[in-house]
Amino acid sequence: MSAQIIDGKQIAEQIKREVKEGTELLKTTRGVTPGLAFILVGENPASQVYVRMKGKGCEEVGFRSVTEQLPATVSEQTLLEKVNEFNNDPKIHGILVQLPLPKHINEQKVFEAISPGKDVDGFHPINVGRMVVGGPTFKPCTPAGIQELLMRSGNDPAGKHVVIVGRSNIVGKPIANILLQKQAGANAVVTVAHTGAKDLRMYIKTADILIAAIGKAEFITGEMLKEGAVVIDVGINRIDDPAARGGYRLVGDVHFESARHVAKAITPVPGGVGPMTIAMLLSNTLKAARNSSEE
Ligand code: NDP
């Protein structure tokens, strides 16, 4: 058996086309152009690349975007003031503070400073709470992208046993909450495993849908999977590869080659979950702009 490859790039492009259409409609019917503000603290090269890619995504769909670059030494107070400026700017509908932040800044305090209506990353406690009770919210982008990948690839999680390995606040916990809701696109039976699991293999073996968000290169192999499982690999890990340009390549938390002969469907790394994160950020920002025009 060779698995269906779930093409995240293609699905993300489709979502971007939909966001672009929605943006054009919002501009012509309400005169509103969605605006997204990025706050980037310090010179972390990976963060710079992410913000650049997100800015490019904004351009593609017709958003306005601004980037506020602050030095790594910026005080927490100055950062919070910047957030507040964007909270009060009617042309800005979404605010994204790129993580990680320097150690002297309290991440949670920053999340709480963003107006919940502009919290397009979905990390404000009000939005997290609404997600848990199944209310209207901004779902965090990576988990929202996973749900879209499942639905748009014909792998509805309803009634399925979903096993998530990893319980971080940005991936594991939110995707568990999203998929267990009694709602379309969800209604799964969810197990969340982590380093405290006594028999991790036993949980993985019972997964109809396995979501790996561990951060360990090729940790899950084909023989660990249930025959016919759907595998969503969130992991992005660098491994040495002298034959590759730059001397390394990216792999997931799942050993792709062995898994694809056992799984029914699988996301590749790169080109699976990764591209979906930006697409969902754009989708959340369009939603925020629509909401603001209805107030
Ligand atoms: P974290 O490091 O925050 O969390 C990892 C989780 O995996 C923890 O809950 C940890 O358990 C669990 N874990 C680690 N080792 C084991 C083990 N041996 N057995 C069982 N559980 C284990 O990672 P993130 O959630 O932030 O990210 C996970 C991966 O996804 C990373 O590779 C990251 O780069 C990638 N990622 C990709 C994104 C994308 O857009 N595609 C977005 C975000 C992340 P415990 O809690 O017990 O320590």
Side-chain angles (χ1 to χ4, degrees):
M1 182 161 71
S2 200
Q4 165 201 4
I5 308 298
I6 302 176
D7 187 341
K9 245 176 165 169
Q10 198 178 46
I11 296 173
E13 285 306 318
Q14 176 61 34
I15 291 171
K16 282 199 246 173
R17 279 195 292 276
E18 291 164 15
V19 171
K20 191 171 181 201
E21 281 168 24
T23 301
E24 276 157 16
L25 191 68
L26 194 64
K27 282 182 186 171
T28 49
T29 56
R30 306 256 173 92
V32 173
T33 300
L36 181 52
F38 300 102
I39 301 181
L40 180 57
V41 182
E43 310 279 327
N44 180 332
S47 295
Q48 287 172 332
V49 171
Y50 286 139
V51 168
R52 218 170 26 242
M53 281 164 63
K54 289 167 185 173
K56 193 169 151 270
C58 287
E59 240 172 72
E60 279 174 47
V61 298
F63 289 2
R64 177 186 297 124
S65 78
V66 289
T67 302
E68 183 72 35
Q69 167 80 62
L70 299 170
T73 52
V74 71
S75 69
E76 187 178 274
Q77 186 55 30
T78 307
L79 174 56
L80 295 176
E81 280 164 13
K82 199 70 227 172
V83 168
N84 211 33
E85 251 175 59
F86 288 131
N87 280 342
N88 294 322
D89 184 341
K91 289 201 168 78
I92 294 299
H93 307 97
I95 303 170
L96 184 142
V97 180
Q98 184 63 45
L99 301 178
L101 289 171
K103 288 203 169 54
H104 67 278
I105 293 173
N106 180 336
E107 223 167 61
Q108 196 58 33
K109 225 169 166 179
V110 176
F111 296 157
E112 290 180 23
I114 298 173
S115 158
K118 297 190 179 189
D119 170 39
V120 288
D121 247 346
F123 294 147
H124 191 289
I126 287 190
N127 286 322
V128 175
R130 285 182 183 150
M131 176 185 66
V132 172
V133 298
T137 186
F138 294 109
K139 291 177 194 164
C141 301
T142 301
I146 294 170
Q147 186 181 33
E148 287 291 331
L149 277 181
L150 287 171
M151 291 306 288
R152 291 178 188 242
S153 64
N155 294 296
D156 190 334
K160 297 287 175 6
H161 183 207
V162 175
V163 176
I164 300 156
V165 188
R167 58 173 158 189
S168 72
N169 288 337
I170 60 167
V171 189
K173 280 182 200 158
I175 191 61
N177 276 293
I178 289 168
L179 294 183
L180 66 76
Q181 299 300 328
K182 196 168 182 176
Q183 287 173 358
N187 213 20
V189 177
V190 177
T191 299
V192 184
H194 41 74
T195 56
K198 288 208 171 66
D199 188 354
L200 185 65
R201 280 176 175 259
M202 183 268 289
Y203 296 110
I204 294 173
K205 205 63 176 177
T206 61
D208 300 315
I209 299 176
L210 179 84
I211 301 177
I214 310 166
K216 294 210 163 121
E218 300 177 326
F219 182 80
I220 294 171
T221 54
E223 49 91 27
M224 293 162 81
L225 299 170
K226 176 173 166 180
E227 188 86 33
V230 173
V231 178
I232 305 291
D233 190 352
V234 188
I236 303 176
N237 312 286
R238 270 185 183 203
I239 59 167
D240 292 337
D241 181 355
R245 210 157 35 117
Y248 73 90
R249 65 191 164 93
L250 295 179
V251 296
D253 289 342
V254 177
H255 186 265
F256 186 82
E257 260 319 297
S258 59
R260 76 188 182 95
H261 297 295
V262 184
K264 174 179 148 228
I266 185 167
T267 60
V269 177
V273 176
M276 295 298 290
T277 302
I278 295 184
M280 299 319 294
L281 171 71
L282 299 172
S283 171
N284 277 350
T285 305
L286 174 61
K287 186 166 142 187
R290 268 195 199 126
N291 290 348
S292 81
S293 75
E294 281 161 9
E295 277 164 6

